[in-house]
Amino acid sequence: MFRNLCTGVSRITVRFGTRSMSISSSRSVDQLLSGRNDDHGGVIVEMSTEPVDAVVFGSLLRASILHWRQEGKKGVWIKVPIELVNIVEPAVKEGFYFHHAEPKYLMLVYWIPETPSTIPVNATHRVGIGGFVMNEKKEVLVVQEKSGILRGTGVWKFPTGVVEEGEDICDAAVREVKEETGIDTKFVEILAFRQSHKSFFEKSDLFFVCLLQPLSFNIQPQELEIEAAQWMPFEEYTAQQFVQKNEVLKYISDVCLSKREGKYSGFSPVPTTGSFSTTESYLYLNRHCLNSP
Amino acid sequence: MFRNLCTGVSRITVRFGTRSMSISSSRSVDQLLSGRNDDHGGVIVEMSTEPVDAVVFGSLLRASILHWRQEGKKGVWIKVPIELVNIVEPAVKEGFYFHHAEPKYLMLVYWIPETPSTIPVNATHRVGIGGFVMNEKKEVLVVQEKSGILRGTGVWKFPTGVVEEGEDICDAAVREVKEETGIDTKFVEILAFRQSHKSFFEKSDLFFVCLLQPLSFNIQPQELEIEAAQWMPFEEYTAQQFVQKNEVLKYISDVCLSKREGKYSGFSPVPTTGSFSTTESYLYLNRHCLNSP
């Protein structure tokens, strides 16, 4: 984590990452924080969880900024583990600001050049899924939830859930249906999606309605979240006041009905590689239309 | 921001939000932070930017947690403006952790009950758009970028950009095409989308390919980001090595070709209200299939 430019007397031992070094507390600090270069002319400093004194860190950071400025660096990122929360204040005093945070770390960023910042924006959306699962009797898989705004209302709804960090939408839909109802399914396609705003503080929400084909039929509701689960005739589901009076749910049930009758095509996942990386990612598209003559 | 339970001698004046109050520095603090209740049995404390001493804040917070615990509160949120970065460390010492952050604030959270936390996850995805704009001569609107990995490669690509906080995907597509090329457009539909992971630290990416109908034709490339822009015969665009060798771009150009020939239907936006709120939000679905007899 460090690049040692110091030949002075050692007094305080500080460890960053895998390397340890010493800093004199009685003279000006001439060590630098070190990080790895990113692809955009910037530097990423990942602090380890080893304790570091806030004053010592402040000095190191000032010296490092001078050095990075001379090197023509642009954005500087410092990933601060929550154990080192004491260095957040000195970093902000040097001009750093918050970029994003997760439970165990805070990402700080600083833009060195005089030119306008090209620091990318933070994640803006949470992604959720709802699973439309229909059996051969044209019954739909529905649940009643133990918490949330529908608790105790008697409303039957599709299983829903949140896509986890790094998870594919198609995998999340299969996982959530399995977790909530015990039913194994195969992902078929995305029937529709909704974008809404300010769903959680200032963040937005993308909710994907997924068609899943059931592979098992014996329901085992999850104890913690689910009050009840059942296979329900589709007409009974759509006849609920809650569905009839909610414009979004009404549209979604129309889409499901149209799908049931073989008249609707959504977006199905196509595994792909090669968009600027070798990582596999899913492209969702109307394969039915694409393959039609 | 405060609820004053104190009748003691005032020494230090602290201001939170719109109310000001006084705290004795020589005796135990018996004031409490106050916040508004959320819909899930929790409390949201929004700190103002008025300076507050870290030690004073720590005492207040300890007393407040005791009080919230007695009240049976669940999640406690503290929104810390960057000006009050000094209170982050005392809050973390009391058991708070990072939830999310934006340039000007850090959201801390603490789960009081013994039961498992139901604190919702942070935003996980950034959302981007690419605009497929074709004129009556079947030429497609393409740009060359001044920065990024395609800089200097001679590659012509669709205009692309990032959906801003609180912005609808359909609006973002129209805005980005206008900004990069000066061309006015009308949003038609989403042709396909891709989900990819670890695109930016641990965050994921959703990229929507949007079909837009041009309303003007005189190109004015944006100076800062765009090297050049032009209307290019579609066949010339797809013939580029860069497109042919990239699986994702190849699929997308197949979709665009199919669309041009009237054989493809994507998802078009339907404005809706009423999914648990009165806010308008767009539902994207295959309206062509839905309306077909």
Side-chain angles (χ1 to χ4, degrees):
Chain A
M1 281 307 297
F2 253 113
R3 182 151 49 154
N4 190 348
L5 301 183
C6 173
T7 53
V9 181
S10 300
R11 296 263 193 89
I12 307 166
T13 299
V14 187
R15 280 189 189 81
F16 291 91
T18 53
R19 293 167 64 185
S20 74
M21 62 166 316
S22 299
I23 298 163
S24 163
S25 61
S26 60
R27 51 190 291 278
S28 70
V29 176
D30 52 3
Q31 286 93 354
L32 302 177
L33 291 166
S34 98
R36 56 193 163 86
N37 293 331
D38 67 20
D39 296 336
H40 307 278
V43 181
I44 302 170
V45 179
E46 290 202 37
M47 305 296 292
S48 82
T49 56
E50 290 284 330
V52 55
D53 179 76
V55 175
V56 171
F57 176 79
S59 302
L60 273 168
L61 186 56
R62 274 190 296 280
S64 303
I65 292 173
L66 273 176
H67 177 72
W68 290 323
R69 194 184 297 276
Q70 283 163 2
E71 281 193 321
K73 293 295 181 199
K74 294 178 176 176
V76 178
W77 303 87
I78 304 181
K79 187 175 176 179
V80 182
I82 197 162
E83 293 84 352
L84 286 201
V85 64
N86 63 309
I87 68 168
V88 175
E89 188 178 358
V92 168
K93 279 189 179 149
E94 297 306 323
F96 279 75
Y97 61 88
F98 307 141
H99 188 271
H100 67 275
E102 291 297 328
K104 290 186 189 305
Y105 75 87
L106 172 63
M107 187 67 81
L108 298 169
V109 70
Y110 179 67
W111 181 252
I112 295 180
E114 297 298 313
T115 55
S117 162
T118 58
I119 296 294
V121 299
N122 189 1
T124 48
H125 286 65
R126 292 195 303 168
V127 179
I129 57 86
F132 173 54
V133 189
M134 188 173 274
N135 65 18
E136 290 191 347
K137 291 189 244 170
K138 307 223 167 175
E139 292 168 329
V140 63
L141 182 62
V142 289
V143 301
Q144 285 183 344
E145 289 177 342
K146 279 193 176 169
S147 61
I149 57 170
L150 293 181
R151 177 188 171 178
T153 59
V155 168
W156 293 97
K157 61 185 278 295
F158 293 174
T160 54
V162 174
V163 176
E164 291 174 356
E165 188 169 273
E167 189 179 31
D168 284 312
I169 292 165
C170 47
D171 293 339
V174 171
R175 176 184 54 74
E176 283 287 349
V177 169
K178 175 72 177 174
E179 279 177 14
E180 294 199 351
T181 67
I183 298 294
D184 293 305
T185 57
K186 184 185 163 203
F187 186 87
V188 183
E189 61 183 31
I190 286 166
L191 297 175
F193 66 89
R194 189 197 57 180
Q195 185 191 25
S196 53
H197 302 299
K198 300 207 176 188
S199 67
F200 173 67
F201 295 106
E202 295 302 309
K203 299 297 182 178
S204 300
D205 204 88
L206 275 163
F207 180 82
F208 293 87
V209 181
C210 302
L211 175 67
L212 300 156
Q213 181 193 333
L215 301 175
S216 72
F217 301 92
N218 185 22
I219 292 174
Q220 291 185 304
Q222 190 206 43
E223 279 195 24
L224 195 65
E225 293 175 24
I226 302 300
E227 186 64 45
Q230 67 165 325
W231 292 104
M232 179 185 242
F234 187 69
E235 284 66 24
E236 241 179 81
Y237 165 78
T238 55
Q240 294 180 101
Q241 277 260 319
F242 177 75
V243 175
Q244 288 297 319
K245 291 198 165 172
N246 182 307
E247 201 179 359
V248 173
L249 294 180
K250 187 71 173 55
Y251 265 114
I252 291 173
S253 74
D254 287 351
V255 165
C256 293
L257 183 66
S258 181
K259 184 73 207 179
R260 196 185 71 167
E261 293 168 357
K263 290 195 281 185
Y264 189 91
S265 55
F267 286 176
S268 47
V270 180
T272 58
T273 53
S275 190
F276 314 127
S277 75
T278 53
T279 324
E280 192 165 274
S281 62
Y282 282 106
L283 189 65
Y284 293 82
L285 47 77
N286 188 340
R287 195 149 41 170
H288 177 75
C289 283
L290 200 59
N291 296 341
S292 67
Chain B
M1 283 305 299
F2 254 111
R3 182 151 46 154
N4 190 348
L5 300 183
C6 174
T7 54
V9 182
S10 300
R11 296 264 193 88
I12 307 166
T13 299
V14 187
R15 282 191 187 80
F16 292 91
T18 54
R19 293 167 65 184
S20 73
M21 60 167 316
S22 299
I23 299 164
S24 162
S25 61
S26 60
R27 52 190 289 278
S28 72
V29 175
D30 52 3
Q31 286 93 357
L32 301 177
L33 291 165
S34 98
R36 56 193 163 87
N37 293 332
D38 66 21
D39 296 336
H40 307 278
V43 181
I44 303 170
V45 179
E46 289 203 37
M47 305 296 292
S48 81
T49 56
E50 290 285 328
V52 55
D53 179 76
V55 176
V56 171
F57 176 80
S59 303
L60 273 167
L61 186 56
R62 274 190 297 279
S64 304
I65 292 172
L66 274 175
H67 177 71
W68 290 321
R69 193 185 297 276
Q70 283 162 3
E71 281 195 320
K73 293 295 181 198
K74 293 178 177 176
V76 178
W77 302 88
I78 303 181
K79 186 174 177 178
V80 182
I82 196 162
E83 294 84 353
L84 286 202
V85 64
N86 62 309
I87 68 168
V88 175
E89 188 178 357
V92 169
K93 279 188 179 149
E94 297 306 323
F96 279 75
Y97 61 88
F98 308 141
H99 188 272
H100 67 275
E102 291 298 327
K104 292 186 189 303
Y105 75 88
L106 172 62
M107 187 68 81
L108 298 169
V109 71
Y110 179 66
W111 181 252
I112 294 180
E114 297 298 314
T115 54
S117 162
T118 58
I119 296 294
V121 299
N122 189 1
T124 48
H125 286 66
R126 293 195 303 170
V127 179
I129 57 86
F132 173 54
V133 189
M134 190 173 274
N135 65 17
E136 291 191 345
K137 291 189 244 171
K138 307 223 165 175
E139 292 167 329
V140 62
L141 183 62
V142 288
V143 301
Q144 285 183 345
E145 290 177 341
K146 278 193 175 169
S147 60
I149 56 169
L150 293 181
R151 177 187 173 182
T153 60
V155 168
W156 293 96
K157 59 186 278 297
F158 293 174
T160 55
V162 174
V163 176
E164 290 174 357
E165 188 169 272
E167 189 178 32
D168 284 312
I169 293 164
C170 47
D171 293 338
V174 170
R175 175 184 54 74
E176 282 287 349
V177 168
K178 176 72 176 175
E179 279 177 14
E180 294 198 351
T181 67
I183 297 295
D184 294 304
T185 57
K186 183 186 163 202
F187 185 87
V188 184
E189 61 183 30
I190 285 166
L191 297 176
F193 66 88
R194 189 198 57 181
Q195 185 191 25
S196 53
H197 302 298
K198 300 207 176 189
S199 68
F200 173 67
F201 296 106
E202 294 304 309
K203 299 298 182 179
S204 300
D205 204 89
L206 275 163
F207 181 83
F208 292 88
V209 182
C210 303
L211 174 68
L212 301 157
Q213 180 192 334
L215 301 174
S216 72
F217 302 90
N218 186 21
I219 292 173
Q220 291 185 304
Q222 189 206 42
E223 278 195 25
L224 196 64
E225 292 175 24
I226 303 300
E227 185 64 44
Q230 67 164 325
W231 292 103
M232 180 186 242
F234 187 68
E235 284 67 24
E236 241 178 80
Y237 164 78
T238 55
Q240 293 179 103
Q241 278 259 320
F242 177 75
V243 174
Q244 287 297 318
K245 291 198 165 172
N246 182 307
E247 201 179 357
V248 173
L249 294 179
K250 187 70 173 56
Y251 265 114
I252 291 172
S253 75
D254 287 351
V255 164
C256 293
L257 184 67
S258 181
K259 183 75 206 178
R260 195 185 71 168
E261 293 169 356
K263 291 195 279 186
Y264 189 91
S265 56
F267 286 177
S268 47
V270 180
T272 59
T273 54
S275 190
F276 315 127
S277 77
T278 53
T279 323
E280 191 164 276
S281 63
Y282 282 106
L283 188 64
Y284 294 82
L285 47 77
N286 187 339
R287 195 148 44 169
H288 177 75
C289 284
L290 200 59
N291 296 340
S292 67

